[in-house]
Amino acid sequence: MHDNHARTARIAGLGTFLPEKVLTNKDFEAMIETTDEWIVTRTGMRERHVVSSGESVATVAVEAGKRALADAGVDPEEVELLIVATATPEQPIPATAALIQPLLGVRRAVCFDLSAACSGFLYGLKVARQFFITGEVSTAMVIGAETLSRYTDYTDRATCVLFGDGAGAAVLKAAPAGEGILRVAWHTDGTCADFIQMPGGGSKYPPNVKEHIDQRLPFIKMRGNETFKVAVRSLTDVCFEVLEQAGVSIDEVALFVPHQANQRILSAVGDRLGLPAEKIYVNLEKVGNTSAASIPLALRDALDEGRLQRGDLMLSAAFGGGLTWAAALVRW
Ligand code: UT7
């Protein structure tokens, strides 16, 4: 069962970038009251990459973007639309996507940022795909890029062990309906906006006021335990929703490539979906939670490991601040 349209988009190329600097669980043992054992058993994480001075969300996004263009064999001048999904933009004005446009050489592209936290990459695929459906665009790029370390409170042990930096970029080309991105289901619930948030740094508590910094407002805050429960339920529901929309069963899915928030979340969702562990792709032990960059980073690794073959059905899902959540079904 397909939508009643003639074309969609396919992922024609994927590129990723991780900054060189690594923070290990051992490093956290020296910084806060925690243990490698607690972090591994409660999250599954062992390492995360973080930017150094001189790096920023634009530098990681550009590197991932260049690699995606090379992987797709696409000339930057062909790109008509560039969406950068990020919760940690380069600066408030202009958009990160506009700032990196000349660095990627995508001079014909309309460029804007998309704010949907960890669901940003899948929201980006959904938005871009609509322009393929209407026929307005034939080549697009969606980049998920984050420098969460710049807003991580390294005195808050409940959040600081989770987050990492990085970027992943996808080049999208037109494909006949029934191939490529088959469906994307998406949701928002703003009543739980305080589950994951950075209260400072915007219009309410601007970053140019010293008290806001003293009150540690421009830092990421999370109600971890409550978020965990909603994440498991929402991710499960949205996966079943996208499968139903596309008229396929979970047994037909070759690989599930979820947002990498916590190993225990992924296992709980896998159980509820009836997916065996070998069909769930996990790389969070190496990268932590990289928000909008998480899914393209995982997808690139899965491809490099030969976990997805042409024609395979790939399911992806994400959950994050907003709250936002989404799932995509892709015929590889
Ligand atoms: O990407 C967006 C979506 N994000 C998520 O979905 C994240 C969802 N949440 C989580 O992954 C988990 O809630 C966490 C990993 C953040 C926390 O795990 P938890 O099992 O929910 O722990 P908790 O917050 O209930 O805390 C349990 C205990 C507390 O101690 P007490 O109060 O029981 O004495 C915490 O203080 O663990 C303590 N704790 C730690 N202990 C050692 C919290 N962080 C740490 C730590 N090391 N780093």
Side-chain angles (χ1 to χ4, degrees), residues 161-181:
V161 299
L162 302 173
F163 302 125
D165 301 337
V171 172
L172 306 181
K173 296 283 287 178
E179 295 176 18
I181 304 166

Side-chain angles (χ1 to χ4, degrees), residues 32-35 38-39 42-43 45 117-118 156-163 196 222-229 231-232 235 259-265 289-291 319-321:
I32 48 167
E33 205 185 317
T34 193
T35 59
W38 190 95
I39 301 172
R42 303 311 290 167
T43 72
M45 293 165 188
C118 303
D156 174 13
R157 68 176 183 170
T159 57
C160 71
V161 299
L162 302 173
F163 302 125
I196 308 167
M222 182 167 66
R223 287 161 60 175
N225 209 268
E226 289 147 289
T227 303
F228 188 103
K229 289 173 197 153
V232 171
L235 285 165
H259 165 53
Q260 309 282 310
N262 185 318
Q263 174 62 60
R264 290 185 297 131
I265 293 178
N289 179 345
T290 58
S291 186
F319 179 90

Side-chain angles (χ1 to χ4, degrees), residues 9-26:
R10 67 182 169 87
I11 297 177
L14 264 174
T16 56
F17 180 79
L18 289 168
E20 210 173 291
K21 186 174 171 197
V22 170
L23 275 182
T24 65
N25 291 353
K26 271 260 161 298

Side-chain angles (χ1 to χ4, degrees), residues 137-169:
V137 154
S138 295
T139 308
M141 282 182 86
V142 177
I143 304 182
E146 299 286 8
T147 49
L148 296 177
S149 69
R150 293 269 151 89
Y151 300 102
T152 297
D153 182 350
Y154 286 102
T155 66
D156 174 13
R157 68 176 183 170
T159 57
C160 71
V161 299
L162 302 173
F163 302 125
D165 301 337

Side-chain angles (χ1 to χ4, degrees), residues 34-270:
T34 193
T35 59
D36 172 55
E37 202 246 332
W38 190 95
I39 301 172
V40 172
T41 52
R42 303 311 290 167
T43 72
M45 293 165 188
R46 294 178 189 276
E47 294 181 351
R48 54 305 273 152
H49 293 251
V50 292
V51 285
S52 302
S53 65
E55 290 181 305
S56 63
V57 80
T59 68
V60 296
V62 165
E63 206 44 52
K66 283 182 182 168
R67 291 175 187 184
L69 286 164
D71 187 49
V74 160
D75 186 326
E77 304 226 345
E78 285 173 47
V79 178
E80 295 154 282
L81 171 69
L82 169 62
I83 300 174
V84 174
T86 184
T88 54
E90 188 79 347
Q91 48 192 67
I93 307 168
T96 307
L99 284 166
I100 69 172
Q101 182 197 38
L103 304 170
L104 283 174
V106 294
R107 67 182 178 94
R108 285 181 54 226
V110 168
C111 305
F112 61 91
D113 289 1
L114 190 155
S115 172
C118 303
S119 309
F121 184 75
L122 295 186
Y123 267 52
L125 290 187
K126 172 89 175 182
V127 172
R129 178 175 174 268
Q130 298 307 316
F131 292 98
F132 286 86
I133 291 173
T134 60
E136 208 168 318
V137 154
S138 295
T139 308
M141 282 182 86
V142 177
I143 304 182
E146 299 286 8
T147 49
L148 296 177
S149 69
R150 293 269 151 89
Y151 300 102
T152 297
D153 182 350
Y154 286 102
T155 66
D156 174 13
R157 68 176 183 170
T159 57
C160 71
V161 299
L162 302 173
F163 302 125
D165 301 337
V171 172
L172 306 181
K173 296 283 287 178
E179 295 176 18
I181 304 166
L182 303 181
R183 284 282 191 164
V184 185
W186 58 351
H187 296 278
T188 308
D189 179 4
T191 63
C192 300
D194 61 340
F195 277 30
I196 308 167
Q197 63 168 335
M198 193 172 87
S203 178
K204 188 174 181 186
Y205 302 115
N208 49 7
V209 176
K210 186 175 172 297
E211 294 94 84
H212 299 160
I213 299 167
D214 294 344
Q215 292 163 27
R216 301 187 82 70
L217 296 179
F219 288 97
I220 300 164
K221 327 260 181 205
M222 182 167 66
R223 287 161 60 175
N225 209 268
E226 289 147 289
T227 303
F228 188 103
K229 289 173 197 153
V230 189
V232 171
R233 200 172 55 234
S234 307
L235 285 165
T236 307
D237 289 350
V238 78
C239 283
F240 280 130
E241 181 186 349
V242 82
L243 289 166
E244 195 186 323
Q245 284 179 356
V248 298
S249 85
I250 189 74
D251 301 332
E252 295 172 62
V253 171
L255 194 66
F256 179 41
V257 184
H259 165 53
Q260 309 282 310
N262 185 318
Q263 174 62 60
R264 290 185 297 131
I265 293 178
L266 304 192
S267 302
V269 172

Side-chain angles (χ1 to χ4, degrees), residues 306-326:
R307 298 280 299 273
L308 270 174
Q309 309 302 327
R310 206 174 152 69
D312 278 353
L313 204 53
M314 190 276 295
L315 174 67
S316 184
F319 179 90
L323 299 171
T324 57
W325 63 106

